[in-house]
Amino acid sequence: MYLNNQRDKWDLVHSIERLRLKYPSEQVVRFIKSNFSSDISNTRILDLGCGSGRHVAYLLGAGYQVAGMDISQESVACTQSIIASNGWSADVVQGSMTQLPYKDQSFDGLICHGVLLYLKVIDIQAAINEMFRVMKPGARALIVVRSVKDMRYGKGDELGDNTFLITDNFTNEEGMVMHFFTEEEIRSLFASFTNVQVGISEMSMKSLEDYNSDYIIIVTK
Ligand SMILES: C[S@@+](CC[C@H](N)C(=O)[O-])C[C@H]1O[C@@H](n2cnc3c(N)ncnc32)[C@H](O)[C@@H]1O
């Protein structure tokens, strides 16, 4: 199944020290500060697809209760080692976001930064349904995905529905399934949430023509 292939690719990426992201994204910091600034020690945040642990570390350092999950065992080990070396405690587990190991209505907030795009559309909807299930009523989530204007669009074999098997290794993502979103699609996928806000963030990479194009999505349950 393609998810096992994605997991193996991510295990490889996370095993290379220089590819591990270390600093939290500005979008995550702004989202957390503007939505969860009171009663921090009683606020439970889930980081879905926690990668090398940069946001788990940011959240624990700021005093939140944190849970993390990722499909890659290397990611989980890396995140757990940051937690242990700082004397923190948090529940970080391996699994797929299409089937979350948490009870209904467990979290006050959720972040999912650069993860959903590695799924096929059918699994993206399953993952969003799971997000909805584990969020408390009124909880807010930040989700970052790639838009159809991103520089990686079309650099691979088309699997349909703006989804490609990437064959270019410029960003170490060769061999990964990647889905590119439109705003209309985002609004349809997140239809069960209220107050769906969709913004765009674009950043040049190696030239002005080669840029990351991300949708920044904030939703309320
Ligand atoms: C680009 S990294 C982003 C990591 C982290 N969110 C960050 O911003 O640093 C994508 C992560 O998604 C994870 N991932 C991919 N598919 C997943 C799935 N089905 N369930 C959970 N995690 C997944 C990968 O293992 C990888 O760690």
Side-chain angles (χ1 to χ4, degrees):
M1 186 186 177
Y2 82 98
L3 284 177
N4 292 341
N5 189 44
Q6 304 279 95
R7 181 199 59 209
D8 295 346
K9 302 250 174 237
W10 280 110
D11 275 341
L12 187 62
V13 170
H14 290 310
S15 70
I16 303 170
E17 163 71 27
R18 72 182 165 80
L19 297 181
R20 294 181 190 155
L21 298 177
K22 304 218 169 26
Y23 304 103
S25 96
E26 181 72 17
Q27 287 131 2
V28 168
V29 174
R30 284 171 185 262
F31 170 73
I32 294 296
K33 279 200 181 290
S34 55
N35 287 286
F36 308 101
S37 52
S38 63
D39 202 12
I40 287 175
S41 62
N42 286 315
T43 301
R44 197 163 177 233
I45 311 269
L46 173 61
D47 185 3
L48 270 185
C50 59
S52 46
R54 60 178 178 150
H55 296 129
V56 167
Y58 162 67
L59 290 164
L60 287 169
Y64 295 94
Q65 293 178 34
V66 182
M69 80 113 56
D70 199 286
I71 201 166
S72 154
Q73 186 52 46
E74 278 289 335
S75 149
V76 170
C78 183
T79 304
Q80 284 172 339
S81 121
I82 294 172
I83 293 169
S85 64
N86 283 282
W88 292 324
S89 111
D91 168 35
V92 177
V93 295
Q94 182 190 17
S96 175
M97 59 191 299
T98 46
Q99 202 174 9
L100 296 179
Y102 309 108
K103 292 188 182 144
D104 296 359
Q105 305 185 8
S106 297
F107 296 98
D108 303 287
L110 185 153
I111 57 172
C112 183
H113 189 286
V115 186
L116 265 188
L117 59 118
Y118 297 104
L119 274 62
K120 293 184 176 174
V121 175
I122 187 166
D123 293 323
I124 290 171
Q125 186 67 75
I128 292 170
N129 295 347
E130 280 291 83
M131 288 182 194
F132 187 88
R133 181 181 68 75
V134 302
M135 287 166 67
K136 294 179 185 172
R140 303 198 92 191
L142 169 76
I143 302 103
V144 178
V145 295
R146 281 187 190 137
S147 93
V148 290
K149 286 169 63 193
D150 186 87
M151 63 178 177
R152 301 164 187 80
Y153 186 91
K155 293 196 173 154
D157 302 329
E158 190 160 9
L159 304 176
D161 296 336
N162 289 329
T163 307
F164 295 84
L165 185 65
I166 298 297
T167 51
D168 181 308
N169 205 34
F170 170 49
T171 50
N172 301 298
E173 291 165 307
E174 185 176 11
M176 294 188 187
V177 168
M178 195 176 290
H179 180 72
F180 299 85
F181 293 71
T182 65
E183 181 171 348
E184 190 186 15
E185 177 185 29
I186 290 168
R187 294 198 179 278
S188 159
L189 286 164
F190 287 93
S192 52
F193 289 86
T194 59
N195 194 17
V196 178
Q197 299 168 37
V198 185
I200 195 122
S201 163
E202 295 187 328
M203 187 175 64
S204 292
M205 296 282 279
K206 102 183 150 179
S207 73
L208 289 181
E209 289 82 43
D210 291 324
Y211 59 92
N212 274 335
S213 179
D214 292 333
Y215 278 118
I216 314 299
I217 307 160
I218 297 179
V219 296
T220 307
K221 174 168 174 180

